[in-house]
């Protein structure tokens, strides 16, 4: 067994690997970029080495630098995590040549599965069904257009070296093919250094179901059952669960066939270590091989929850030459597990990534329970950077059945929040209580189909949220006030009850509400517009505010940073801002005739020049941020008066991109 392992990754997965290594008595070596100098994985490892600048290409993708650190640190093995160099056959080969074990598959296996087109051809030979399409070497545009017509519509263009939704475009009609091909190739080139693509038929009402497989150097191959990952946005997973509600609703025959196919796929390439065989399954229950991920998956914790096995430990033992810990018949499963990905992003704005400092990161108090798990690499005060993936954490719950796992997830999300960076938590809270989700109807069109009911209304502040925010504010003021009556800011009046008027704003300032509070003894009389409440028995336990308003008991988690307040109820959450009566905000014309950047990033392509006449909705610029391309459109009709940036320029958040004349 190894004595020291270098982790060639960052964030949540690096912390996850460190946790298992500590339990196994293995010392760990972390690497970090300039942006990660104070990151959690650096603090948790036994040793840490700087490897370069903040951009991945200058640090976490520099195989030679990482390998040199491994040698200097005396590491006997390298764990690549996922992303970055985890599926890079050259890096795996360099490790082996240096006499350092690569905790993953052989370079040959990575190479075979690294190209989606080559992988499909190999799977066809192994008898594994594949999606109809084109996955050959001819990448001529005219030829690909002909193949596109042959495959039919709708269809997907995919980067052959892709993953995580990058380099993927949906084509619904022939006239869209060329533009979508260019976009897919450009994004693939930026992400993987390879712009080759394949074309495949888009399966209608599809389910994304994958099987966790493992192989060792002794000829043993097993699967650890399936994970359903159908709920996605921008071709990236949002929620994963096991067992699959789609398979679980029918006989186990489909599960058995898919498991056998997954193991056959691993055996066909003499696979070593952890891998995932991804299938697409139609409503007709026909399944097709999509791709193999030759690494540990982000969603591996749900497999661990239902099997009781530590997959990172399995990886380490296999890399050390040991046989698989269990045979197929010895792997047992029980209960149901669900994982959600908490990301810094704006669901209402097409899930575009967000950046900034997490002033407050509140996590569930029930995480100590074995049935609730939080995997993260950040804490309050950490920065969400433009350079890396926007995932903040993974929240995982287990239950005896799907209903129990769901209830635990609902409770856990209701105790989780981030202040300082916009996240998808409100969206996730709506998702896990949605009737279609509760019924197990979770194909890949789930979010588009239920969009109207999945996005919380942030334009209105309900009375119960305003009361909770007011009570929390008064409680915090009381705990910090001095004994001198003239110093106390509690609304004290001579010969009558204390009186306060508090002004709250929605996050977008669409609504401003004044809450009038009069305190007489232990009772508070609250007026909001023309509505009156008698609030009694209000208590504060840490950040939890409990109260009775007009005889109705309520409880909420209230978090605050500065004037920003977050109110979390069991079924919904609200973000508001305390108004400052002394703040004067003059009129601003910042958005008049201008288009600003929604996030920091790099300019990929500029599609308009000074003097151009543009229409509302016309694509003007493509920016790359957090490893994804984002097309920014014109907000109005007009004439381009100024273009502020050119290709490859780095753009700060809120910078003016274009100025328009009427």
């Amino acid at each position: 067994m190894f004595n020291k392992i270098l982790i060639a990754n960052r964030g949540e997965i690096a912390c996850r690997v460190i946790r298992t290594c500590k339990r196994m008595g293995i010392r760990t070596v972390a690497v970090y970029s300039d942006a990660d100098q104070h990151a959690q994985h650096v603090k948790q490892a036994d040793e840490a080495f700087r490897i370069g600048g903040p951009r991945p290409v200058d640090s976490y993708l520099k195989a030679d630098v990482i390998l040199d650190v491994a040698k200097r640190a005396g590491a006997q093995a390298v764990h690549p995590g996922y992303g970055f160099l985890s599926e890079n056959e050259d890096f795996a080969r360099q490790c082996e040549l240096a006499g350092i074990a690569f905790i993953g598959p052989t370079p040959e296996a990575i190479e075979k599965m690294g190209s989606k087109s080559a992988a499909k051809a190999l799977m066809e030979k192994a008898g594994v069904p594949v999606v109809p399409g084109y996955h050959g070497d001819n990448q001529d545009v005219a030829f690909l257009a002909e193949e596109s017509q042959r495959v039919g519509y709708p269809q997907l263009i995919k980067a052959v070296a892709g993953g995580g939704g990058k380099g993927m475009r949906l084509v619904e009609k022939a006239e869209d093919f060329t533009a979508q091909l260019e976009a897919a190739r450009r994004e693939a080139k930026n992400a993987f250094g390879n712009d080759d693509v394949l074309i495949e038929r888009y399966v209608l009402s599809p389910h994304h179901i994958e099987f966790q497989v493992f192989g060792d150097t002794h000829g043993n191959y097993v699967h650890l059952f399936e994970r359903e990952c159908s709920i996605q946005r921008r071709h990236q997973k949002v929620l994963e669960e096991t067992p699959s509600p789609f398979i679980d609703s029918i006989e186990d025959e489909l599960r058995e066939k898919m498991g056998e196919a997954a193991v056959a796929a691993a055996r066909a390439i003499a696979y070593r270590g952890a891998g995932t065989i991804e299938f697409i399954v139609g409503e007709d229950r026909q399944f097709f091989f999509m791709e193999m991920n030759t690494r540990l998956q982000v969603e591996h914790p749900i497999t661990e929850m239902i099997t009781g096995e530590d997959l990172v430990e399995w990886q380490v033992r296999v890399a050390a030459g040991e046989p698989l810990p269990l045979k197929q018949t010895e792997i047992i499963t029980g209960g149901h597990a669900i994982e959600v990905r908490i990301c810094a992003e704006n669901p209402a704005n097409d899930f575009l990534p967000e950046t900034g400092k997490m002033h407050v990161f509140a996590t569930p108090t029930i995480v100590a329970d074995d049935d609730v798990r939080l995997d993260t690499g950040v804490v309050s005060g950490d920065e969400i950077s433009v350079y890396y993936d926007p995932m903040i954490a993974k929240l995982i719950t287990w239950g005896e059945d799907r209903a129990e796992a769901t209830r635990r997830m609902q409770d856990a999300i209701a105790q989780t929040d981030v202040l300082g960076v916009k996240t998808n938590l409100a969206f996730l809270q709506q998702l896990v209580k949605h009737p279609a989700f509760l019924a197990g109807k979770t194909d890949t069109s789930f979010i588009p189909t239920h969009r109207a009911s999945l996005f919380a209304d942030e334009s209105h502040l309900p009375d119960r949220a305003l009361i909770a925010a007011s009570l929390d504010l008064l409680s915090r003021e009381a705990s910090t006030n001095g004994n001198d009556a003239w110093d106390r800011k509690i609304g004290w009046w001579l010969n009558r009850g204390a009186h306060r008027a508090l002004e709250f704003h929605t996050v977008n300032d669409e609504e401003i509400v004044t809450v009038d509070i009069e305190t007489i003894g232990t009772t508070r009389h609250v007026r909001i517009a023309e509505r009156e409440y008698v609030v009694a028995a209000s208590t504060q336990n840490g950040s939890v505010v409990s109260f009775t308003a007009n005889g109705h008991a309520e409880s909420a988690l209230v978090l605050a940073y500065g004037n920003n307040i977050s109110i979390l109820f069991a079924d919904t959450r609200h973000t508001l801002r305390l108004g400052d009566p002394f703040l004067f905000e003059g009129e601003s014309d910042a958005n008049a005739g201008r288009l600003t950047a929604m996030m920091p990033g790099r300019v990929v392509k500029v599609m308009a020049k000074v003097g151009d006449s543009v229409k509302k909705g016309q694509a003007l610029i493509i920016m790359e941020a957090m490893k994804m391309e984002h097309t920014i459109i014109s907000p109005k009709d007009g004439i381009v008066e100024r273009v502020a940036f050119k290709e490859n320029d780095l753009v700060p958040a809120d910078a003016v991109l274009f100025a328009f004349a009427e």
Side-chain angles (χ1 to χ4, degrees):
M1 181 50 63
F2 310 118
N3 295 319
K4 184 183 287 188
I5 291 174
L6 180 142
I7 303 163
N9 216 296
R10 65 177 300 278
E12 169 267 325
I13 184 56
C15 294
R16 163 71 188 90
V17 175
I18 290 170
R19 190 164 64 246
T20 289
C21 288
K22 285 184 181 297
R23 184 175 56 76
M24 295 178 70
I26 301 171
R27 291 180 61 81
T28 54
V29 180
V31 293
Y32 63 89
S33 71
D34 290 341
D36 282 339
Q37 182 178 357
H38 304 293
Q40 293 304 303
H41 73 281
V42 175
K43 296 177 181 179
Q44 293 176 16
D46 295 300
E47 302 174 55
F49 292 80
R50 178 188 177 274
I51 53 172
R55 295 194 309 160
V57 70
D58 296 326
S59 50
Y60 297 105
L61 291 175
K62 293 185 78 67
D64 55 339
V65 174
I66 292 173
L67 195 56
D68 179 63
V69 169
K71 294 174 183 176
R72 286 190 285 131
Q76 300 153 303
V78 170
H79 194 302
Y82 40 68
F84 296 136
L85 296 170
S86 62
E87 295 178 281
N88 186 306
E89 65 267 24
D90 290 335
F91 180 58
R93 188 171 289 111
Q94 288 178 44
C95 288
E96 291 191 352
L97 291 174
I100 297 174
F102 180 76
I103 302 178
T106 63
E108 294 75 22
I110 297 175
E111 189 171 20
K112 288 175 181 176
M113 292 293 104
S115 166
K116 286 185 172 66
S117 54
K120 288 177 183 293
L122 189 61
M123 290 301 105
E124 282 183 311
K125 290 181 181 178
V128 180
V130 301
V131 180
Y134 172 74
H135 42 81
D137 295 329
N138 191 336
Q139 295 292 305
D140 178 73
V141 174
F143 177 79
L144 290 176
E146 292 178 4
E147 288 299 300
S148 171
Q149 294 277 7
R150 180 186 64 79
V151 171
Y153 306 96
Q155 64 186 221
L156 283 175
I157 301 173
K158 289 184 176 181
V160 299
K166 301 174 189 66
M168 182 186 296
R169 290 294 186 274
L170 174 65
V171 183
E172 298 185 271
K173 52 186 185 295
E175 50 266 39
D176 294 340
F177 177 77
T178 301
Q180 297 291 54
L181 174 65
E182 289 177 357
R185 278 184 155 173
R186 187 169 53 244
E187 193 168 83
K189 185 70 173 178
N190 288 336
F192 314 111
N194 182 347
D195 64 358
D196 286 356
V197 299
L198 59 84
I199 304 168
E200 66 181 26
R201 178 71 61 86
Y202 184 73
V203 178
L204 297 175
S205 299
H207 291 261
H208 182 138
I209 300 174
E210 62 190 29
F211 272 72
Q212 177 71 63
V213 295
F214 253 94
D216 62 21
T217 56
H218 302 271
N220 301 308
Y221 302 93
V222 299
H223 71 77
L224 288 90
F225 306 101
E226 84 279 2
R227 299 186 288 250
E228 170 133 3
C229 312
S230 297
I231 299 181
Q232 303 179 5
R233 88 284 187 265
R234 302 170 69 87
H235 302 296
Q236 293 182 314
K237 300 163 188 173
V238 174
L239 180 148
E240 304 97 351
E241 58 182 311
T242 182
S244 160
F246 180 71
I247 295 182
D248 219 36
S249 64
I250 60 175
E251 298 177 0
D252 283 344
E253 183 180 354
L254 178 57
R255 175 177 290 111
E256 186 176 344
K257 288 181 178 178
M258 293 177 71
E260 290 173 352
V263 171
R267 183 176 286 111
I269 59 171
Y271 195 74
R272 179 189 74 193
T276 306
I277 306 296
E278 300 196 356
F279 296 106
I280 195 81
V281 188
E283 284 296 325
D284 58 1
R285 296 172 186 167
Q286 296 294 309
F287 67 93
F288 304 99
F289 171 85
M290 285 200 305
E291 62 182 344
M292 181 179 191
N293 290 301
T294 53
R295 54 174 168 78
L296 198 65
Q297 289 280 81
V298 175
E299 57 272 19
H300 76 273
I302 57 175
T303 297
E304 295 181 327
M305 293 288 262
I306 66 163
T307 62
E309 300 298 323
D310 184 329
L311 300 191
V312 173
E313 180 178 346
W314 278 42
Q315 285 186 295
V316 172
R317 293 194 179 282
V318 167
E322 297 182 15
L324 291 176
L326 298 173
K327 300 186 186 312
Q328 188 68 64
T329 55
E330 297 173 325
I331 301 172
I332 59 173
T333 177
H336 197 99
I338 301 172
E339 173 183 291
V340 295
R341 303 186 186 193
I342 302 169
C343 297
E345 62 186 17
N346 185 353
N349 192 19
D350 197 27
F351 296 93
L352 284 177
E354 296 276 329
T355 61
K357 188 172 185 177
M358 299 196 313
H359 298 297
V360 176
F361 181 21
T363 58
T365 57
I366 53 177
V367 164
D369 190 331
D370 289 340
D371 300 331
V372 180
R373 170 174 163 179
L374 183 78
D375 283 16
T376 187
V378 293
V379 296
S380 295
D382 284 349
E383 192 89 16
I384 302 300
S385 167
V386 67
Y387 298 106
Y388 311 117
D389 189 275
M391 189 173 74
I392 294 171
K394 303 180 307 194
L395 191 56
I396 310 104
T397 59
W398 179 91
E400 290 286 351
D401 54 27
R402 189 172 187 266
E404 186 175 59
T406 300
R407 288 194 299 272
R408 286 188 174 136
M409 180 59 75
Q410 291 168 346
D411 289 344
I413 292 176
Q415 298 179 46
T416 307
D417 202 17
V418 175
L419 271 68
V421 181
K422 187 178 285 292
T423 72
N424 63 340
L425 276 162
F427 170 80
L428 293 175
Q429 193 165 14
Q430 297 295 317
L431 170 60
V432 297
K433 69 175 186 177
H434 195 279
F437 172 76
L438 298 178
K441 298 178 180 178
T442 58
D443 64 24
T444 57
S445 64
F446 186 92
I447 292 177
T449 300
H450 304 291
R451 178 173 292 274
S453 53
L454 283 173
F455 293 88
D457 180 12
E458 295 186 344
S459 63
H460 174 67
L461 295 174
D463 288 356
R464 65 174 184 162
L466 294 164
I467 293 172
S470 300
L471 294 175
D472 176 74
L473 179 64
L474 294 178
S475 176
R476 285 190 285 116
E477 284 184 349
S479 67
T480 57
N481 283 329
N483 294 322
D484 189 331
W486 301 107
D487 289 335
R488 304 182 73 189
K489 303 172 183 177
I490 59 174
W492 177 82
W493 285 45
L494 182 64
N495 297 326
R496 62 169 292 181
H499 182 272
R500 289 292 301 276
L502 302 172
E503 182 182 277
F504 295 102
H505 299 231
T506 56
V507 289
N508 48 20
D509 285 329
E510 287 185 6
E511 185 177 18
I512 301 175
V513 181
T514 299
V515 180
D516 288 299
I517 305 170
E518 184 177 4
T519 303
I520 302 176
T522 59
T523 301
R524 301 185 191 275
H525 296 266
V526 179
R527 173 175 290 186
I528 304 172
E530 300 302 318
R531 301 176 296 278
E532 294 189 9
Y533 299 89
V534 176
V535 178
S538 68
T539 60
Q540 183 111 10
N541 182 12
S543 297
V544 177
V545 177
S546 301
F547 59 94
T548 300
N550 289 353
H552 181 68
E554 295 273 13
S555 183
L557 177 66
V558 183
L559 302 169
Y561 180 80
N563 284 351
N564 298 304
I565 305 170
S566 187
I567 314 295
L568 282 69
F569 292 99
D571 58 342
T572 187
R573 66 183 59 214
H574 307 278
T575 303
L576 46 92
R577 179 168 56 84
L578 177 66
D580 184 347
F582 299 105
L583 176 65
F584 172 74
E585 296 182 2
E587 294 185 5
S588 171
D589 63 346
N591 294 320
R594 299 180 184 179
L595 177 63
T596 57
M598 295 173 286
M599 71 191 82
R602 181 181 67 86
V603 176
V604 175
K605 186 176 183 180
V606 179
M607 294 172 285
K609 61 183 184 297
V610 173
D612 282 358
S613 176
V614 298
K615 297 291 185 182
K616 181 178 180 180
Q618 180 178 331
L620 298 181
I621 190 170
I622 298 174
M623 288 181 59
E624 180 188 44
M626 291 179 165
K627 303 193 294 184
M628 295 289 287
E629 280 193 3
H630 310 279
T631 301
I632 300 173
I633 61 175
S634 176
K636 57 186 292 185
D637 293 351
I639 306 295
V640 177
E641 193 171 62
R642 181 164 66 93
V643 179
F645 297 93
K646 61 183 183 301
E647 290 184 10
N648 290 316
D649 280 353
L650 293 178
V651 180
D654 300 321
V656 175
L657 300 172
F658 291 88
F660 305 95
E662 295 295 336

